[in-house]
Amino acid sequence: MLEKILILLCLSSALAEQPCKPDASDGYKVRLSIKTALGDEAYVWNENEMFLFRATLAFAMRSHLNGQEFDVSNIIVCDETPRVTFWFVVTSPLNTSGLVDKGVVEEAIRMSRNRINSAFLLTDKTLEFIGITPTLTAPVNPDTPPWLIVFGVVMGAVGAGIIVVLVSPLVLKKRKKNEETDEDEEETGVKAVENGSTREGVYNMSFSDDERLTQM
Amino acid sequence: MKLKLPNPGLDDRIPSHGDLEKMEKEEAGDRPKWDNKAQYLLTCVGFCVGLGNVWRFPYLCQSHGGGAFMIPFLILLVLEGIPLLHLEFAIGQRLRKGSVGVWRSISPYLTGVGIASMLVSFLVGMYYNTIMAWIIWYLFNSFQDPLPWSQCPLNANRTGLVEECARSSTVDYFWYRETLNTSTAIDEAGGLQWWMVLSLVAAWILLYVCCIRGIETTGKAVYITSTLPYLVLTIFLIRGLTLKGSIDGIKFLFTPDINELMNPSTWLDAGAQVFYSFSVAFGGLISFSSYNSIHNNCEQDAVLISIINGCTSVYSATVIYSIIGFRATQKFDDCLGDNIWKLMNAFDYPENNITDSNYNEVLAHLNQTNPEIIQGLELQTCDLQSFLSQGVEGTGLAFIVFTEAIIKMPFSPLWAVLFFVMLFCLGLSTMFGSIEGVVVPLQDLRLLPRTWPKEVFCGLTCLISLALGLIFTLRSGNYWLALFDNFAGSIPLLVIGFCEMFAVIYIYGIDRFNKDIEFMIGHKPNIFWQVTWRVVSPLIMIFILIFYFVTQISKSLTYLVWDQESENFPTLEARPYPSWIYVMIFILAGVPSLAIPVFALFKFIQNKCCKKDHNDYTVDTISAKIQMSDKIKL
């Protein structure tokens, strides 16, 4: 009796391990590059980290399939390497021997990718799910391209500069003209007074000869 | 060589020494003047120091044997550059006119030289300002983080990057697609690219506002545009020296290879670089010197500006190559890191097992044990030397290589803004000289009414250049620009330069020229100037001209094309020009060069057929016939 139970247990455990193997049809390979991502602050990969991974994955499955209560035991991991790569499969909580479909797992992971990454302080590149391409973030595209804004500012300043340069001599000329007409008026007034005393004049030398007698 | 060609009537056409002294004292004022000597020097330095110092000289230096290139460069600088510069300064200062005026005064048959200068200044100004438009585009795009050339856009269904960008690089894509939107051949015109048109309009308006009243306004602008590049170069040098790999770049630049001195093309390139770098034969320098006072020491100026030009070339080469060294080291590290990543993942080694130092041994070991897997990985060969020598000159240096280096530096937008402001200032100060070389001859030729103010001449020049320059905003604009650069700015300049020297020494007369310089600066030019002016410099120019001509004619004319379907994409593919291009080449290179003999012939014919009319101009008056004597006879 005991032997039968032992054999059954061995068989069941063997059966339980079988779903997870490299290149499993419903499994995914995971690759972590902790030292590349964190350098000196890298943590060591151990059993506890693995537990966290399984828990995070269970969380992702729960979030995606609302209602089904996934547990850590539903995530089965195998084939760990020193590189820190391993395979995992997800069993359904309703039917422990049945595996959740690959597509469903992929969708769940995509939805919660960010949360999974941040749980391990990694990025899409350093926590890779082989086969699930990360959704690319589109480059930021503002509504008005920034260069148009700079262009508008610079052109506005330059346009103002051109207007100032072209208009300023005209303004100066006008101002000078106004001043001149004012001076003219003053002068004619002054001259009228001065003309009264024209006893003094400037003696013009050109009409005087060096010699008083012209030579014949 | 005391050869002097007959030149009747020269004294009537030029002001005598006495006239010049009088003009100096009375300050006969319709000719503009420099506010101070610094303005004049900064303007000339700005005109000479241009984009060529930053993106042509470093490439030549590195590709022709590094430190060894300094030898032909310095020799030709002294034998060719300084004499030409002194000649232009002296003749402009003496005859006090722009280029057309000067050559017309020396001999009416030489008006063609001035007109050729004007045409070349116009053509070169047209395409040079398009490069300014590109610089402005990049400058306006530098005010954002992250820089637009650091990312590839996503393709239509957002599954990956745009194919063209993924196959080449983000900077290539931004330059060829988002800036130029280049087509695949020069015949495929494509349409006008509106963003390029806007940038071109901005470039011409900025130039107009600085040139609007000639040296009155440019003289103020050069305080900034001529000094800012040196400041930015220094900042980049300090920044560059603190980056990893910059010393490798500088070492690569200056490592001498003496064997290159045996190669004639080294000397040819050095001579051509000295000639083009001094911006002689454009007519701008003659104009600028004509605004000087008559006793300005032009000999000292010529030597000073030549030294500054040479030193700037070497300094900017150092800065550029320190940054290129940084970029090459980054690319090398990335390449190596990529290979290590692939190996680690393929063989499941723990991280940091393969490092840069043991990479080669590990690879060799793995190649022996698992050669098929290694083949399957497609590892790239990473060679620092090949990254350093990724041949970079011209627009490729500024808009592809340097922008790539900038995105790898922290605070990229700051460095991008500084770099493009520097390029903008370098180009703008050169454009001042170009515009001077077009506007002043236009005024001298009296094609338009004299009463029109200078602002109108300047505005018309800018407007027409803008309209014709729209060709560079087409999709094939880049290819047109390369065409202009190769043909409009090369052979005609050499021809004009040679004719200038010949005209001053043998038609104006070296004796008269020596006396003029003695009058202006106080001592006769010494034996160095006599030898170089009469023999050495003209010979060098003829050599360069002939060699240039021969190399251009002998090689089949091809141009480099960005074509996604070509096999070597993203390397540019060489494609032959279509046959109608030869007409364009003739217009660009032939028309200015031929303007010289055509005008001489025209004047000759005009003189011959209208010789009779000349006699009618002398009027016989009675008073001319009476002899005036001391004593009046009664």
Side-chain angles (χ1 to χ4, degrees):
Chain A
M1 188 63 189
L2 263 171
E3 293 159 6
K4 276 192 184 164
I5 297 172
L6 265 173
I7 293 171
L8 268 171
L9 276 172
C10 286
L11 268 174
S12 60
S13 61
L15 272 172
E17 283 181 37
Q18 254 190 347
C20 177
K21 54 184 192 302
D23 298 324
S25 56
D26 281 325
Y28 278 103
K29 183 172 179 184
V30 182
R31 185 187 294 140
L32 287 106
S33 314
I34 308 170
K35 293 207 185 103
T36 316
L38 301 170
D40 289 333
E41 294 165 26
Y43 48 82
V44 179
W45 185 258
N46 53 26
E47 288 294 319
N48 303 332
E49 306 284 348
M50 183 57 89
F51 181 80
L52 178 60
F53 178 80
R54 293 162 70 201
T56 324
L57 222 53
F59 160 77
M61 295 304 300
R62 280 201 195 196
S63 314
H64 181 57
L65 299 171
N66 256 327
Q68 295 192 35
E69 301 222 337
F70 285 88
D71 201 4
V72 179
S73 48
N74 290 118
I75 317 290
I76 308 172
V77 168
C78 55
D79 196 35
E80 257 193 79
T81 66
R83 171 69 179 83
V84 193
T85 65
F86 49 83
W87 282 83
F88 73 90
V89 290
V90 183
T91 58
S92 167
L94 308 166
N95 175 9
T96 38
S97 50
L99 297 175
V100 178
D101 191 41
K102 193 165 182 157
V104 180
V105 176
E106 178 171 339
E107 277 172 40
I109 292 176
R110 269 192 208 274
M111 266 181 55
S112 313
R113 189 63 188 266
N114 231 4
R115 300 292 297 274
I116 302 175
N117 283 352
S118 31
F120 289 94
L121 309 172
L122 297 173
T123 63
D124 280 348
K125 189 177 180 232
T126 41
L127 171 55
E128 294 168 79
F129 289 88
I130 315 286
I132 305 183
T133 49
T135 42
L136 302 161
T137 43
V140 179
N141 250 338
D143 291 326
T144 31
W147 73 269
L148 266 182
I149 301 174
V150 182
F151 174 80
V153 168
V154 169
M155 283 296 106
V158 168
I162 292 184
I163 293 177
V164 163
V165 166
L166 285 177
V167 166
S168 63
L170 296 173
V171 169
L172 277 172
K173 247 193 216 172
K174 236 185 177 180
R175 217 181 276 166
K176 240 189 179 175
K177 229 183 184 180
N178 282 341
E179 283 177 14
E180 271 183 29
T181 47
D182 284 340
E183 274 179 25
D184 278 342
E185 287 174 9
E186 280 183 37
E187 270 192 30
T188 45
V190 171
K191 256 190 184 164
V193 175
E194 280 215 359
N195 264 334
S197 55
T198 40
R199 284 305 221 102
E200 293 160 19
V202 178
Y203 189 62
N204 197 336
M205 295 297 287
S206 58
F207 288 108
S208 65
D209 287 337
D210 287 333
E211 296 169 3
R212 299 194 67 229
L213 297 168
T214 50
Q215 276 185 345
M216 299 290 267
Chain B
M1 293 217 305
K2 285 277 183 174
L3 172 68
K4 185 182 184 313
L5 297 174
N7 193 358
L10 179 60
D11 286 307
D12 299 329
R13 294 191 294 265
I14 61 177
S16 68
H17 291 181
D19 292 337
L20 289 173
E21 287 282 16
K22 213 162 60 162
M23 278 186 342
E24 180 78 2
K25 289 207 185 82
E26 290 171 8
E27 301 191 359
D30 69 331
R31 195 155 187 84
K33 266 175 27 149
W34 297 108
D35 288 345
N36 51 47
K37 185 80 183 278
Q39 256 188 19
Y40 166 63
L41 283 176
L42 282 176
T43 309
C44 288
V45 164
F47 188 25
C48 295
V49 171
L51 295 171
N53 295 68
V54 165
W55 70 32
R56 175 89 179 132
F57 177 80
Y59 169 74
L60 283 178
C61 194
Q62 170 263 311
S63 66
H64 283 299
F69 184 73
M70 295 298 160
I71 299 175
F73 182 71
L74 286 172
I75 291 179
L76 287 169
L77 187 98
V78 168
L79 290 180
E80 181 198 352
I82 303 187
L84 264 174
L85 209 60
H86 188 197
L87 188 104
E88 284 216 349
F89 283 166
I91 200 72
Q93 196 171 304
R94 166 69 180 87
L95 296 179
R96 317 200 69 70
K97 291 221 174 74
S99 65
V100 162
V102 157
W103 304 117
R104 192 169 48 194
S105 304
I106 293 183
S107 164
Y109 295 109
L110 288 176
T111 322
V113 177
I115 293 182
S117 282
M118 180 179 87
L119 286 174
V120 168
S121 283
F122 178 72
L123 289 172
V124 170
M126 224 166 86
Y127 82 78
Y128 207 85
N129 223 31
T130 309
I131 301 179
M132 300 289 290
W134 292 341
I135 293 173
I136 287 179
W137 162 258
Y138 267 80
L139 179 61
F140 287 168
N141 272 300
S142 304
F143 288 97
Q144 47 184 300
D145 190 21
L147 293 170
W149 55 83
S150 62
Q151 297 166 324
C152 272
L154 297 180
N155 59 17
N157 34 5
R158 303 178 120 229
T159 51
L161 305 171
V162 170
E163 188 201 332
E164 191 178 3
C165 192
R167 284 173 69 195
S168 57
S169 71
T170 55
V171 280
D172 279 325
Y173 181 77
F174 187 77
W175 170 238
Y176 286 110
R177 190 53 51 211
E178 295 197 23
T179 304
L180 299 174
N181 196 8
T182 185
S183 61
T184 53
I186 198 170
D187 336 29
E188 289 171 40
L192 291 174
Q193 312 301 302
W194 67 269
W195 58 94
M196 276 291 107
V197 174
L198 276 183
S199 306
L200 191 64
V201 168
W204 280 107
I205 290 184
L206 275 164
L207 182 63
Y208 180 59
V209 87
C210 291
C211 287
I212 198 165
R213 268 200 230 112
I215 64 167
E216 253 182 73
T217 40
T218 63
K220 313 278 186 308
V222 288
Y223 284 121
I224 299 178
T225 61
S226 294
T227 52
L228 193 63
Y230 290 98
L231 182 66
V232 174
L233 276 174
T234 310
I235 295 175
F236 263 101
L237 183 66
I238 299 174
R239 169 78 267 212
L241 289 175
T242 59
L243 293 169
K244 178 185 175 201
S246 52
I247 306 293
D248 290 324
I250 298 180
K251 266 195 286 190
F252 181 71
L253 171 71
F254 286 124
T255 312
D257 177 8
I258 303 289
N259 296 323
E260 280 285 339
L261 291 180
M262 302 301 155
N263 187 358
S265 83
T266 304
W267 291 86
L268 179 64
D269 280 338
Q273 173 63 15
V274 165
F275 182 78
Y276 296 131
S277 148
F278 276 97
S279 307
V280 293
F282 279 91
L285 288 173
I286 298 181
S287 253
F288 288 143
S289 316
S290 69
Y291 305 130
N292 272 330
S293 81
I294 190 65
H295 291 297
N296 176 52
N297 193 342
C298 49
E299 181 183 26
Q300 212 179 42
D301 294 340
V303 174
L304 183 65
I305 289 179
S306 311
I307 293 177
I308 292 179
N309 197 7
C311 290
T312 309
S313 295
V314 176
Y315 187 51
S316 61
T318 313
V319 173
I320 295 287
Y321 264 85
S322 74
I323 305 287
I324 287 185
F326 161 70
R327 169 187 174 268
T329 310
Q330 285 286 319
K331 286 198 96 145
F332 177 73
D333 285 345
D334 285 344
C335 176
L336 205 57
D338 225 22
N339 286 354
I340 293 178
W341 182 265
K342 282 185 188 155
L343 279 180
M344 257 189 342
N345 292 344
F347 292 98
D348 281 334
Y349 286 148
E351 290 179 279
N352 293 349
N353 205 354
I354 313 178
T355 59
D356 293 352
S357 34
N358 63 7
Y359 167 76
N360 285 322
E361 301 138 23
V362 173
L363 182 63
H365 167 73
L366 287 174
N367 223 348
Q368 288 174 334
T369 49
N370 309 62
E372 327 81 42
I373 304 185
I374 299 288
Q375 293 277 43
L377 287 178
E378 290 178 353
L379 298 174
Q380 292 176 318
T381 35
C382 302
D383 177 24
L384 185 62
Q385 294 297 311
S386 78
F387 284 127
L388 282 170
S389 61
Q390 268 174 349
V392 276
E393 58 158 337
T395 51
L397 172 67
F399 300 120
I400 298 180
V401 170
F402 219 83
T403 44
E404 191 170 16
I406 285 177
I407 53 182
K408 297 188 201 285
M409 296 197 252
F411 299 114
S412 316
L414 170 69
W415 304 113
V417 168
L418 272 178
F419 178 63
F420 289 113
V421 163
M422 173 183 87
L423 287 187
F424 181 71
C425 287
L426 283 171
L428 192 67
S429 48
T430 309
M431 281 306 296
F432 292 158
S434 269
I435 289 289
E436 182 78 12
V438 175
V439 168
V440 173
L442 264 184
Q443 287 180 315
D444 282 345
L445 281 175
R446 300 185 206 124
L447 290 172
L448 302 168
R450 250 193 156 163
T451 47
W452 286 12
K454 191 154 191 176
E455 288 91 328
V456 174
F457 277 98
C458 196
L460 243 118
T461 310
C462 292
L463 199 63
I464 295 179
S465 298
L466 170 65
L468 290 174
L470 286 177
I471 194 176
F472 301 119
T473 57
L474 296 172
R475 289 189 60 189
S476 51
N478 190 27
Y479 307 132
W480 282 104
L481 198 131
L483 186 73
F484 269 67
D485 192 22
N486 274 333
F487 296 106
S490 57
I491 294 186
L493 284 174
L494 287 164
V495 170
I496 297 172
F498 174 74
C499 287
E500 283 190 358
M501 212 163 231
F502 187 82
V504 171
I505 302 303
Y506 298 112
I507 301 184
Y508 184 72
I510 184 72
D511 295 325
R512 185 187 284 265
F513 194 52
N514 283 337
K515 287 210 198 74
D516 285 335
I517 295 185
E518 192 173 355
F519 167 70
M520 289 196 293
I521 65 179
H523 60 265
K524 200 174 149 184
N526 59 31
I527 186 74
F528 166 74
W529 302 110
Q530 305 297 327
V531 169
T532 48
W533 279 336
R534 286 184 216 208
V535 176
V536 177
S537 303
L539 268 179
I540 293 179
M541 275 194 285
I542 286 194
F543 264 133
I544 298 179
L545 180 62
I546 293 178
F547 270 113
Y548 225 86
F549 209 66
V550 165
T551 45
Q552 290 284 25
I553 297 285
S554 60
K555 69 178 183 200
S556 66
L557 292 169
T558 60
Y559 65 112
L560 296 170
V561 173
W562 175 262
D563 187 3
Q564 283 193 65
E565 267 110 58
S566 87
E567 302 163 341
N568 303 333
F569 186 83
T571 320
L572 297 172
E573 190 196 332
R575 190 170 293 180
Y577 277 120
S579 40
W580 53 266
I581 278 293
Y582 294 96
V583 177
M584 272 314 295
I585 294 179
F586 176 74
I587 293 179
L588 290 174
V591 166
S593 315
L594 288 177
I596 302 176
V598 161
F599 245 88
L601 202 61
F602 172 70
K603 276 286 177 193
F604 185 67
I605 295 176
Q606 204 185 42
N607 270 350
K608 280 281 183 212
C609 79
C610 307
K611 206 176 184 181
K612 290 178 277 176
D613 296 347
H614 274 259
N615 289 336
D616 291 342
Y617 277 121
T618 55
V619 179
D620 282 340
T621 56
I622 299 175
S623 59
K625 294 199 180 130
I626 295 180
Q627 281 180 318
M628 300 294 278
S629 53
D630 284 347
K631 297 190 176 168
I632 298 172
K633 289 192 174 134
L634 287 177

